[in-house]
């Protein structure tokens, strides 16, 4: 039986909105795909773009950012910074050949447990269809086949 | 005592996997996870246990710290929002810094949301690996302690706010009660009788309202609204806008002669207290027992304000009391309080959203709140049930669940409507001897003496029809009657019941400005825009913002006894903080590494709390730790990596990333 | 044979500017030449690879290696110089972080070859001939180095002792490095031989920068009549000084141009481009959509701007998959 590709998605969730929403999805016993790994931060504004690149570099097939809706940030303005960084990150990741569906920003409030479920399920399926993200780390040039004309 | 240290000295980690009964163990292979953890680098002890949060569970941690000289603890269990403090305390009691602890969520984020046992266990492995890698880098931290200002702000003067304020004031705390209407009392003051005892609402409420007014420890401001909240738990600075009443409070004696004398011979303005059923004058008092017992002038309808040319017969009637002051302006006040209780109440569902019930189309369709005012002796019809066309109804239909338990409007049950429908059925029947048909989906009578009340009303001859009313339309029989079309599910037939009057049992909703208010106080809303409690079972009056508590219907629909109980609970929570005198704040603040800060000032404008400033002499930026709330935005923005956030250092996050991805 | 320290210079995928930088020492170069024995410097003198191969391992005191690594020959030379040298110093942006040639990592190998030997405007190659790594000629078999899948930094190829950043490294830093080497006062292995502080620290325009700077618009140099005294970031230009290591004496600012980031990141940063992206996005003054998106569109080429010198050293290293070029 062929193995289905199981994507691994690293998620950065803000403590006050998205992390609580994921907790709510749990207390409500909603079911969603097990491919997600949540890293908890206080605010989506803490998400350093280095984290996103690092996650992709170290094998993540997708990266999901979760924060409070614009205007509702627990720390007032952190998510606005996240939004502007996201715009630039999208373009750089596209230049690096990383498909759009692999990097996603979602505003999920603490009451939206079902949004966590639907976003995770949707993203997992979209990334599954794209296949694993190919590694791009530097390789030595030895031990390669030399083409002979 | 094991040496607490980051990279100095060997790290010795204890890992504990909680079964949480079968909550976790039923889906995640906890035994396997313990075995897996034991083989991770730095892990000295790895156990699984049925209930880590229990006393024996916590003892395990303390004993292992002593016996195995552990200096790091990882617990995989429920959400950190529940038990992180519990395990940090256990870690501390075991003798090491409480922040050498990391929690892994394998319940809310794992066993409760996944069904594939193997996948859930692999996920558990990844999360554990991440936590073990991360906790190695944790540093010993000291929580910041801040004092708690003993004064309390209660927002909202309904029964919830009143009870919370009195409880706190009786305990010797100074309370500011801020209410935006001209009087306190809230919705309860509009009710006639309360279920199930049929106590007169005003009779049980007004003594409490008076007690508030008279209490030396309560500063009551009506016509006042909170406009800004700064600071943090224990040290809130609140700005309140006190709107002008145009009456000098100390001089008005509440004789009401100015209202009698007003140039308007009759009321012409829709009376808010009577839900638009009556009319009032521009100078008015909401209801006779209003507290404060002062009139108020509505500048939008008063002739003097609109034209400047009124005869001002009110001033004349006031005579040498000279209590009317058209020149009064609004005042902005600043309060310093330590805790805040939000008791901002509810609004009722607008039945115009369900057009086929005919509200606003057929004059004899009423909301329950309108009927409360009809049956109330101080209402627009002096307590008689008189329809808009002057008749007394001989048949009345009451429709339950208007706007509630409905996918198209509000999914939730509003909890009080069945009971108040029974009450109104009784009151209407008492006053009119009309035939009353109560159309319900379920009869929800869960409280003390509620079921007995239902039986009584049934015995009084109210007809109960089990069915959701599908349509209201004119009977066309010349009697001005309406047909209530409903499938009687117990009789298995559709009934078309002609009635003179329809009462819509409208549900409860959050106030229209709930989102604005919650932003003001930095809390969140849950479904339906009700304010969100910290935990639905165990912390129903706390919010996720320390120092802000909830009481009453602003948190969710409930009846008066539950509201009063919750208000008491909120007062107790506030008192607990005040009497403790201080609170520990999470030490997740950011600080700038002076040696590498280049003074580029990128961070300075980013902080909404103005915690970051540029020091001109040093030519470097600095973060004021007291003002920093620990969001970490500046940390991510610093282009030279010169800002660090305690508990969320870059290195710690990078280790988590490597851990979840199983990167070598 | 003199007892002077032996020094070597080599160049890989580079423009020659780093070699020029040595010459730029002007009179100071005479002191350097007097103090050391230059045993290998192909750009200046007639040395052969076999000369170096013949030396004993570790007999070269210090090798300054500039240029990025893309071909198998460059990789082999890097390995050779590593073996023969006690101290290997990555000299200049290309060997430090990949440099401008590193931008080739935005394209795939096949698309580069297709462009050069296929559809570039100046290419006439109707048979689609491609260079071959081995070709038999009457005299025997001639070989060409393999053109690798990506541009690498020196540290991604061999173990590197020190880094002299800059495009090219500023004279002051070169003199400082050579002096430290000769006096035996080099910092711990792995250090970058430049201050661990961003450029704003030594920028002469620093005091003109407002404490709270937020930008409503990002501009390109040709769109602004650049004020010669004021902070360039304040003028809306993409000055990467806040993210870039100092040590160059704010050279570009003195030429009234914004910093493009050639000295690379400070020690606390793993990915230069990511950090500078974060900083610029953070100080944008637009919170609502679509203004936020429009503001960020004002940065016309994020990948090229943020990773101009450092793409190979970045966390992602190079573009993956597909055959296309960079599209912003």
């Amino acid at each position: 039986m062929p193995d289905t590709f199981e994507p691994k998605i690293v998620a950065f969730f803000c403590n006050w909105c998205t992390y609580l929403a994921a907790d709510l999805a749990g207390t409500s016993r909603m079911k969603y795909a097990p491919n997600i790994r949540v890293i908890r931060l206080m605010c989506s504004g803490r998400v350093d773009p280095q984290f996103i690149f690092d996650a992709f570099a170290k094998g993540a097939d997708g990266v999901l950012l979760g924060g409070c809706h614009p205007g509702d940030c627990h720390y007032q303005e952190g998510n606005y910074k996240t939004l502007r960084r996201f715009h630039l990150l999208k373009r750089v990741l596209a230049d690096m050949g990383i498909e759009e569906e692999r990097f996603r920003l979602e505003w999920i409030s603490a009451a939206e447990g079902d949004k966590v479920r639907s976003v995770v399920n949707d993203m997992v399926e979209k990334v599954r269809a794209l296949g694993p993200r190919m590694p791009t780390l530097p390789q030595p040039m030895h031990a390669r086949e030399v083409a002979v004309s | 005592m094991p040496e607490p240290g980051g990279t100095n000295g060997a790290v010795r980690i204890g890992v504990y996997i909680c079964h949480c009964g079968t909550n976790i163990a039923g889906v995640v292979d906890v035994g396997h996870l313990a075995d897996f953890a034991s083989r991770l680098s730095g892990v000295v002890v790895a156990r699984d246990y049925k209930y880590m949060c229990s006393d024996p569970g916590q003892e395990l941690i303390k004993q292992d710290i002593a016996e195995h000289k552990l200096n790091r603890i990882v617990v995989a269990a429920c959400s950190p929002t529940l038990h992180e403090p519990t395990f940090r305390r256990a870690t501390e009691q075991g003798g090491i810094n409480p922040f050498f602890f990391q929690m892994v969520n394998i319940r809310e984020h794992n066993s409760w949301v996944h069904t594939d046992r193997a996948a859930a266990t692999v996920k558990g492995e990844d999360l554990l690996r991440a936590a073990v890698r991360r906790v190695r880098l944790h540093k010993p931290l000291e929580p910041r302690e801040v004092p708690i200002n003993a004064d309390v702000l209660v927002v909202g003067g309904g029964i919830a706010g009143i009870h919370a304020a009195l409880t706190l004031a009786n305990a010797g705390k100074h309370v500011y009660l801020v209410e935006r209407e001209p009087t306190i009392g809230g919705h309860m003051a509009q009710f006639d009788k309360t279920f199930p005892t049929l106590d007169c609402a005003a009779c049980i409420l007004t003594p409490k309202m008076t007690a508030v007014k008279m209490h030396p420890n309560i500063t009551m401001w009506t016509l006042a609204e909170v406009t800004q909240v700064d600071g943090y738990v224990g040290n809130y600075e609140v700005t309140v806008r006190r709107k002008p009443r145009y009456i000098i409070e100390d001089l008005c004696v509440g004789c009401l002669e100015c209202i009698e004398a007003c140039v308007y011979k009759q009321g012409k303005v829709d009376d808010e207290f009577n839900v638009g059923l009556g009319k009032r004058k521009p100078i008015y008092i909401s209801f006779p027992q209003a507290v404060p017992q002062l009139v108020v002038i509505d500048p939008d309808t008063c002739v003097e304000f609109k034209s400047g040319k009124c005869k001002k017969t009110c001033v004349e009637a006031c005579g040498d009391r000279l209590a009317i002051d058209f020149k009064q302006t609004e005042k902005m006040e600043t309060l310093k309080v330590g805790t805040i209780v939000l008791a901002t109440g509810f609004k009722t569902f607008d039945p115009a959203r369900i057009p086929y019930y005919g509200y606003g189309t057929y004059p004899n369709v009423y909301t329950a709140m309108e009927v409360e005012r009809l049956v109330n002796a101080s209402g627009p019809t002096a307590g008689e049930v008189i329809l808009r066309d002057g008749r007394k109804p001989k048949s009345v239909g009451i429709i339950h669940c208007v706007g509630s338990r409905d996918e198209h409007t509000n999914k939730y049950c509003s909890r009080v409507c069945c009971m108040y429908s029974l009450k109104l059925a009784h009151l209407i029947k008492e006053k009119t001897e009309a035939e009353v048909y109560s159309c319900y989906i379920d009869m929800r009578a869960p409280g003390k003496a509620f079921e007995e009340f239902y039986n009584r009303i049934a015995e009084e001859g109210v007809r109960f029809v089990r069915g959701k009313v599908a349509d209201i339309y004119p009977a066309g029989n010349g009697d001005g009657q309406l047909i209530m079309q409903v499938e009687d599910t117990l009789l298995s037939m559709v009934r078309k019941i002609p009635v003179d009057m329809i009462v819509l049992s409208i549900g409860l909703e959050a106030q229209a400005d709930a989102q604005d208010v919650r932003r003001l106080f930095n809390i969140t809303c849950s479904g339906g825009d009700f304010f969100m409690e910290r935990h639905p079972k165990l912390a129903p009056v706390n919010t996720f913002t320390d120092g802000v508590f909830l009481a009453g219907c602003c948190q969710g629909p409930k009846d008066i006894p539950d509201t009063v109980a919750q208000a008491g609970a909120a007062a107790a929570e506030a008192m607990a903080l005040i009497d403790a005198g201080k609170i520990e704040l999470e030490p997740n603040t950011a600080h700038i590494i002076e040696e590498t800060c280049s003074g580029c000032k990128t961070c300075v404008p980013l902080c909404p709390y103005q915690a970051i400033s540029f020091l001109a002499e040093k030519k470097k930026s600095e973060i004021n730790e007291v003002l920093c709330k620990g969001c970490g935005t500046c940390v991510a923005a610093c282009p030279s990596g010169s800002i660090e956030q305690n508990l969320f250092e870059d290195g710690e996050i990078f280790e988590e990333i490597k851990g979840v991805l199983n990167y070598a | 044979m003199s007892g002077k320290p032996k020094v070597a210079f080599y160049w890989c995928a580079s423009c020659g500017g780093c070699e020029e930088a040595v010459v730029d020492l002007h009179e100071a170069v005479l002191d350097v030449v007097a103090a050391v024995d230059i045993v290998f410097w192909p750009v200046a003198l007639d040395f052969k690879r076999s000369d170096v191969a013949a030396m004993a391992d570790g007999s070269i005191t210090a090798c300054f290696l500039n240029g990025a690594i893309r071909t198998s020959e460059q990789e082999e030379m890097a390995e050779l110089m590593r073996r023969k040298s006690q101290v290997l110093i990555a000299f200049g942006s290309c060997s430090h972080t990949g440099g401008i040639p590193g931008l080739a990592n935005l394209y795939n190998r096949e698309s580069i070859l297709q462009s050069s030997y296929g559809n570039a405007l100046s290419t006439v190659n109707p048979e689609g001939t491609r260079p071959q790594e081995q070709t038999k000629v009457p005299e025997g078999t001639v070989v060409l180095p393999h053109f690798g899948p990506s541009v690498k930094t020196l540290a991604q190829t061999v173990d590197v002792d020190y880094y002299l950043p800059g495009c090219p490294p500023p004279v002051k830093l070169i003199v400082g490095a050579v002096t430290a080497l000769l006096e035996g006062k080099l910092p711990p292995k792995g250090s970058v031989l430049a201050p661990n502080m961003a450029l704003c620290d030594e920028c002469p325009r620093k005091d003109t920068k407002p404490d709270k700077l937020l930008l409503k618009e990002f501009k390109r140099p040709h769109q602004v009549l650049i004020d010669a005294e004021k902070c360039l970031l304040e003028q809306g230009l993409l000055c990467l000084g806040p993210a870039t290591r100092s040590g160059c004496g704010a050279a570009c600012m003195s030429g009234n141009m914004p910093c493009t980031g050639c000295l690379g990141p400070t020690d606390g940063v793993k990915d230069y481009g990511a950090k500078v992206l974060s900083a610029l996005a953070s100080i944008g003054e637009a919170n609502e959509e679509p203004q936020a998106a429009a503001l960020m569109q004002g940065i016309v080429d994020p990948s090229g701007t943020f990773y101009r010198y450092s793409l190979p050293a970045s966390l992602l290293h190079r573009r993956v998959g597909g055959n296309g070029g960079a599209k912003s």
Side-chain angles (χ1 to χ4, degrees):
Chain A
M1 187 163 83
D3 275 321
T4 343
F5 159 57
E6 286 301 336
K8 212 172 233 185
I9 311 231
V10 176
F12 296 94
F13 282 177
C14 87
N15 183 59
W16 303 99
C17 282
T18 316
Y19 194 90
L20 287 184
D23 274 358
L24 176 61
T27 39
S28 313
R29 308 295 195 279
M30 297 183 191
K31 304 296 179 215
Y32 54 82
N35 307 58
I36 189 172
R37 305 288 183 265
V38 173
I39 293 180
R40 174 184 177 226
L41 299 169
M42 283 295 122
C43 179
S44 61
R46 176 69 187 92
V47 177
D48 188 325
Q50 294 183 112
F51 299 160
I52 296 158
F53 291 135
D54 195 47
F56 279 121
K58 302 231 171 0
D61 300 299
V63 173
L64 172 64
L65 303 185
C68 306
H69 288 262
D72 294 348
C73 179
H74 184 86
Y75 302 99
Q76 316 305 318
E77 301 168 357
N79 56 358
Y80 295 135
K81 278 87 167 169
T82 312
L83 176 62
R84 293 193 294 269
R85 292 172 192 158
F86 174 74
H87 282 304
L88 289 177
L89 278 164
K90 254 196 324 190
R91 292 159 68 193
V92 172
L93 286 171
D95 288 344
M96 297 304 273
I98 293 178
E99 301 91 326
E100 206 180 323
E101 291 86 354
R102 293 189 191 273
F103 179 53
R104 193 156 160 172
L105 171 65
E106 288 289 343
W107 306 126
I108 303 179
S109 82
E112 292 179 295
D114 58 311
K115 190 169 180 186
V116 171
R117 171 182 50 183
S118 58
V119 164
V120 170
N121 283 342
D122 183 60
M123 188 169 178
V124 167
E125 285 321 301
K126 291 204 163 89
V127 174
R128 194 197 301 280
L130 292 174
R133 196 192 85 73
M134 289 169 16
T136 54
L137 299 179
Q139 304 293 326
M141 281 177 266
H142 311 292
R144 76 201 178 277
E145 296 298 301
V146 175
V148 179
S149 69
Chain B
M1 183 81 94
E3 180 202 354
T7 45
N8 303 330
V11 155
R12 297 175 64 82
I13 308 172
V15 179
Y16 301 86
I17 320 289
C18 185
H19 295 214
C20 193
T22 53
N23 277 309
I24 296 175
V27 176
V28 173
D29 188 342
V30 289
H32 168 81
L33 282 187
D35 178 59
F36 168 83
S38 68
R39 287 179 270 116
L40 291 173
S41 169
V43 174
V44 168
V45 168
R47 301 183 193 286
D48 60 280
Y49 186 69
K50 264 215 163 355
Y51 295 105
M52 279 309 296
C53 55
S54 67
D55 269 349
Q58 296 180 54
E59 272 310 304
L60 259 185
I61 295 177
K62 296 183 221 175
Q63 279 164 19
D64 281 347
I65 290 175
E67 192 183 317
H68 296 278
K69 300 191 183 5
L70 302 177
N71 52 27
R72 300 287 190 282
I73 303 290
V74 170
V75 172
C78 51
S79 171
T81 56
L82 269 184
H83 277 307
E84 191 173 52
T86 313
F87 295 119
R88 278 197 185 144
R89 208 167 29 241
T91 306
E92 187 174 36
Q93 286 166 356
I96 57 177
N97 186 290
F99 297 96
F100 279 141
F101 168 76
Q102 178 70 2
M103 189 141 177
V104 183
N105 186 337
I106 54 170
R107 192 183 71 171
E108 281 85 339
H109 285 200
N110 196 345
S111 69
W112 275 353
V113 291
H114 303 317
T115 47
D116 180 337
R117 217 183 141 80
T121 307
V122 165
K123 179 168 173 174
E125 287 180 359
D126 285 348
L127 294 174
L128 262 178
R129 196 189 297 111
V132 166
R133 289 188 80 134
R134 186 200 214 276
V135 84
R136 282 192 214 128
L137 299 183
H138 279 206
K139 299 202 172 68
L141 296 170
E142 297 305 320
R144 307 172 280 161
E145 226 175 53
V146 293
I148 306 281
N149 182 317
D151 292 351
V152 187
L153 167 67
V154 175
V155 184
I159 182 61
I162 288 171
H163 185 78
L166 284 172
T167 308
L168 285 160
N170 288 339
K173 317 296 177 209
H174 184 89
V175 180
Y176 292 95
L177 179 60
V178 170
E179 163 58 50
R180 74 171 160 202
E181 295 300 320
T183 171
I184 58 174
H187 282 295
M188 187 174 170
Q190 293 173 294
F191 300 159
D192 180 42
K193 306 272 192 299
T194 55
F195 58 79
T197 49
L198 295 175
D199 273 309
C200 153
C203 305
I204 55 179
L205 177 62
T206 45
K208 287 182 91 108
M209 288 165 63
T210 311
V212 166
K213 178 85 171 60
M214 305 302 296
H215 208 298
N217 285 343
I218 299 181
T219 302
M220 180 184 74
W221 288 343
T222 51
L223 281 176
E225 269 185 309
V226 173
T227 55
Q228 195 173 330
V229 180
D230 292 313
Y232 48 93
V233 58
N235 302 273
Y236 285 112
E237 206 170 279
V238 181
T239 310
V240 178
R241 172 188 291 126
R242 299 186 63 187
K243 293 186 282 206
R245 193 178 277 267
Y246 306 107
I247 303 295
I248 300 173
E249 296 197 12
D250 294 333
L251 299 178
C252 172
V253 299
C255 66
L256 308 182
E257 284 177 26
C258 49
I259 300 179
E260 184 62 39
C262 176
V263 292
Y264 275 79
K265 284 298 146 226
Q266 283 170 354
K268 286 275 161 56
V269 185
D270 275 344
D271 185 344
E272 297 90 349
F273 191 79
N274 283 318
V275 209
L277 285 182
K279 301 280 185 205
R280 61 162 174 82
K281 301 188 185 180
I283 187 167
Y284 68 102
I285 190 166
S286 305
F287 61 100
Q289 302 98 328
V291 170
Q293 178 83 183
L294 302 168
V295 299
V296 58
I297 299 180
D298 169 11
D300 294 330
T301 50
C302 168
V303 174
E304 174 60 12
F305 279 101
K306 287 170 41 147
S307 70
K309 295 205 200 81
C310 182
K311 278 197 296 198
K312 298 199 275 257
T313 42
C314 51
V315 177
E316 213 178 286
C318 190
D320 48 13
R321 283 182 287 274
L322 297 170
I324 299 182
D325 177 8
F326 288 102
K327 301 253 183 311
Q328 223 179 48
T329 50
E330 79 176 22
K331 263 199 312 187
M332 303 297 283
E333 308 254 20
T334 313
L335 296 174
K336 284 195 179 359
V337 295
T339 48
I340 299 173
V341 175
L342 294 180
T344 49
F346 66 93
K347 78 169 186 336
T348 51
F349 173 80
D350 177 9
R353 289 168 61 188
I354 305 182
Y356 50 86
Y357 280 163
Y359 182 76
T361 309
Y362 308 122
N364 294 333
V365 175
Y366 290 81
T367 65
M369 191 61 98
E370 288 169 340
V371 176
E372 291 276 354
R373 297 313 302 154
L374 285 181
V375 299
N376 193 303
S378 63
T381 54
E384 295 301 318
V385 182
I386 300 179
L387 298 174
R388 286 184 173 100
D389 56 15
R391 295 181 297 136
K392 259 193 162 180
K394 295 208 191 61
S395 51
V396 178
I398 302 179
I399 305 180
H400 290 223
C401 303
V402 175
S404 308
R405 304 187 65 190
D406 188 338
E407 272 181 347
H408 304 293
T409 50
N410 294 319
K411 285 195 187 155
Y412 55 85
C413 165
S414 290
R415 207 152 151 177
V416 300
C417 319
C418 278
M419 292 311 296
Y420 80 55
S421 301
L422 291 173
K423 168 189 80 175
L424 290 178
H426 166 87
L427 292 171
I428 291 172
K429 218 165 160 63
E430 191 178 61
K431 289 177 189 260
T432 61
E433 292 181 359
E435 197 71 79
V436 177
Y437 299 90
S438 210
C439 299
Y440 67 98
I441 305 175
D442 294 288
M443 194 53 77
R444 294 189 163 172
K448 207 159 176 173
F450 284 14
E451 185 73 12
E452 294 90 323
F453 186 67
Y454 166 45
N455 290 331
R456 168 184 166 178
I457 304 306
E459 277 165 23
E460 285 175 5
V462 170
R463 313 266 180 213
F464 289 99
V465 178
R466 186 175 179 277
K468 190 167 160 127
V469 173
D471 202 2
I472 308 279
Y473 51 88
N477 56 9
D479 288 337
Q481 285 190 315
L482 295 165
I483 299 291
M484 196 165 63
Q485 183 162 315
V486 56
E487 180 189 350
D488 188 329
T489 57
L490 293 178
L491 292 178
S492 298
M493 58 183 265
V494 175
R495 294 171 68 170
K496 298 180 187 181
I497 308 175
V499 291
D500 295 320
M501 176 188 194
I502 295 277
V503 179
L504 300 174
S505 298
I506 45 179
L508 271 49
E509 292 182 326
Q511 295 271 19
D513 63 348
Q515 287 289 347
D516 294 330
V517 171
R518 70 108 177 147
R519 276 191 204 110
L520 208 49
F521 294 93
N522 204 11
I523 59 174
T524 26
C525 286
S526 47
D529 283 355
F530 291 103
F531 297 149
M532 189 158 135
E533 63 288 322
R534 187 180 278 244
H535 190 272
K537 291 256 178 272
L538 298 179
V541 301
N542 306 70
T543 60
F544 280 100
T545 302
D546 287 331
V548 177
F549 305 101
L550 306 172
C553 289
C554 61
Q555 182 262 342
K558 55 179 70 69
D559 58 15
I560 293 167
D562 286 348
T563 297
V564 170
Q566 206 183 42
E573 293 286 339
M575 257 189 272
L577 265 184
I578 296 169
D579 288 351
K582 52 184 165 63
I583 189 178
E584 286 184 346
L585 293 182
E586 186 87 336
N588 58 4
T589 50
H591 53 272
I592 293 179
I593 302 165
E594 201 180 304
E595 298 80 57
T596 57
C597 172
S598 70
C600 75
K601 303 175 191 165
T602 301
C603 54
V604 179
L606 303 182
C607 183
Y609 308 104
Q610 272 92 58
I612 312 180
S613 46
F614 182 70
L615 304 174
E617 335 76 54
K618 269 194 201 166
K619 295 202 198 276
K620 290 177 189 278
S621 298
E622 186 183 67
I623 296 177
N624 180 339
E625 222 200 337
V626 175
L627 296 176
C628 173
K629 301 232 184 186
C631 72
T633 301
C634 61
V635 184
C638 175
S640 63
S642 300
I643 309 184
E644 219 169 54
Q645 181 182 12
N646 289 339
L647 284 181
F648 294 93
E649 294 176 15
D650 278 352
E652 290 166 349
I653 312 290
F654 283 125
E655 283 301 302
E656 271 194 85
I657 294 171
K658 282 202 274 227
V660 293
L661 293 170
N662 197 6
Y663 189 80
Chain C
M1 186 131 111
S2 68
K4 286 193 284 189
K6 295 189 173 63
V7 157
F9 291 91
Y10 191 68
W11 57 347
C12 297
S14 74
C15 65
C18 286
E19 313 287 344
E20 294 275 341
V22 177
V23 173
D24 258 357
L25 292 171
H26 302 303
E27 313 78 51
V29 76
L30 299 172
D31 297 324
V32 174
V33 164
V36 303
D37 228 352
I38 298 178
V39 298
F40 188 60
W41 194 5
V43 83
L45 303 152
D46 186 24
F47 292 101
K48 298 282 188 253
R49 174 168 160 163
S50 47
D51 298 332
V52 182
M55 296 180 196
D57 283 0
S59 57
I60 301 177
T61 313
C63 173
F64 295 84
L65 209 153
N66 71 76
I69 311 289
R70 179 117 209 198
T71 69
S72 54
E73 180 192 18
Q74 289 154 357
E75 189 173 86
E76 285 158 15
M77 284 306 296
E79 286 164 1
L80 181 66
M81 299 316 297
R82 171 72 273 182
R83 251 200 337 275
K84 302 299 176 185
S85 313
Q86 290 162 36
V87 173
L88 181 62
I89 300 175
F91 190 89
S93 293
C94 294
S95 55
H96 176 210
T97 54
I100 292 185
L103 288 172
N105 280 359
L106 286 172
Y107 301 83
N108 295 303
R109 183 178 183 279
E110 175 53 34
S111 67
I112 293 172
L113 293 173
Q114 175 59 28
S115 173
S116 302
Y117 296 100
N119 47 25
L121 283 177
S122 54
T123 301
V124 179
N125 186 1
E127 291 104 46
T129 311
R130 291 276 184 94
Q132 299 300 311
E133 285 176 28
Q134 285 190 346
T135 305
K136 281 198 164 57
V137 292
E139 296 83 343
T141 305
V142 289
V143 298
L144 279 180
H146 174 71
F147 183 69
S150 75
V151 179
K152 299 191 288 182
T153 66
L154 187 58
Q156 289 167 348
T157 313
V158 292
D159 186 36
V160 172
D161 296 301
Y162 298 99
Y163 304 87
L164 253 179
C167 181
V171 169
K172 210 169 67 168
L173 292 185
I174 300 175
V175 171
V178 173
T179 312
L181 175 74
L182 294 176
E183 292 177 4
K185 290 199 179 127
L186 283 168
K189 176 177 155 156
S191 299
V192 174
L193 301 173
N196 185 25
M197 181 89 83
L199 185 52
C200 291
D201 182 58
E202 65 176 12
C203 178
R205 306 183 188 213
K206 181 178 182 177
D207 292 334
T208 70
K209 186 173 186 181
D211 283 1
K212 292 195 178 191
L213 177 62
L214 293 171
L215 295 174
K216 288 198 162 69
E217 202 186 342
F218 293 107
K219 301 199 184 103
R220 300 165 74 189
H222 66 272
Q223 294 171 320
V224 181
L225 222 55
I226 306 178
D227 183 310
E229 316 273 282
K230 277 192 347 192
C231 167
L232 292 158
L233 195 54
E234 192 197 352
Q235 298 181 58
L237 298 166
L238 295 176
C239 181
L240 309 187
T244 312
R245 204 180 275 266
S246 57
C248 58
C252 294
M253 280 97 260
S254 315
N256 210 25
M257 284 296 281
C259 167
T260 54
C262 75
L263 260 80
T266 49
D267 288 344
V269 168
K270 265 190 207 270
D271 185 312
Y272 177 88
K275 266 305 195 182
V276 82
L277 179 161
S278 190
L280 290 173
S282 300
I283 63 170
E285 194 171 10
N287 290 340
E288 307 294 326
E289 293 288 38
Q291 294 89 326
L295 171 63
M296 302 328 291
Q297 277 302 121
I299 298 180
V300 170
D301 176 15
S303 306
T305 309
F306 303 151
Y307 287 111
R308 196 193 216 109
Y309 302 93
S310 59
L311 189 56
S314 74
L315 288 165
L316 287 176
H317 179 63
R318 60 160 279 247
R319 182 190 172 85
V320 63
N323 267 320
K327 291 187 209 31
S328 285

